[in-house]
Amino acid sequence: MDKNYDLSRLCLFTGTVHYHRLNRKCLLTDGAKYLAEGAGAFWLMDAAASYLLELGTDDWFVQVVLKVTGSSAVLTLEDGNGGVRARQEIPYTDFPIPHYTLYACWNGEHWVLMLPSEY
């Protein structure tokens, strides 16, 4: 984790000025990029993106939920109504937040990963 990273700043992201390319079909908002850089969590963005590409675009909205217990975690992609679309156990992580949700929205061309406050 970046020593200058401040978790309390995540709530300050309320929209985005720039979109940052993660891969050819996935973009990050400013807040999602701040989280990935500060928490050393590009692995989380990559994991979410790989599932999003696999799931397709039938649902335009997906919740990406990471639940950390000790040094392991469970990543789920949910439909927003409690339905789990994908699940992965993460054997080791040092992610600094015990429970975090990202939103992913299909904009017609790309999946956009964002903080809930940016939705």
Side-chain angles (χ1 to χ4, degrees):
M1 187 166 105
D2 185 330
K3 65 180 176 169
N4 297 319
Y5 180 66
D6 183 0
L7 292 175
S8 68
R9 292 184 49 90
L10 290 175
C11 66
L12 300 177
F13 290 95
T14 57
T16 196
V17 175
H18 300 100
Y19 292 98
H20 310 273
R21 186 168 301 281
L22 183 62
N23 63 38
R24 67 181 187 82
K25 283 291 189 184
C26 296
L27 305 173
L28 301 177
T29 59
D30 291 333
K33 183 175 183 261
Y34 179 82
L35 176 64
E37 288 177 339
F42 276 102
W43 62 269
L44 173 59
M45 305 305 167
D46 287 338
S50 68
Y51 284 112
L52 290 167
L53 295 175
E54 189 176 295
L55 293 175
T57 58
D58 288 342
D59 291 329
W60 63 271
F61 176 84
V62 175
Q63 287 180 307
V64 178
V65 179
L66 184 69
K67 293 181 183 175
V68 178
T69 305
S71 62
S72 63
V74 175
L75 174 66
T76 57
L77 277 73
E78 303 174 5
D79 62 11
N81 294 315
V84 175
R85 305 281 317 273
R87 183 179 190 282
Q88 179 180 350
E89 293 190 23
I90 311 290
Y92 176 78
T93 183
D94 60 356
F95 192 76
I97 307 169
H99 184 274
Y100 200 76
T101 300
L102 292 164
Y103 292 164
C105 294
W106 177 250
N107 72 4
E109 190 175 342
H110 298 98
W111 279 104
V112 180
L113 285 160
M114 65 189 75
L115 306 182
S117 60
E118 293 177 300
Y119 182 70

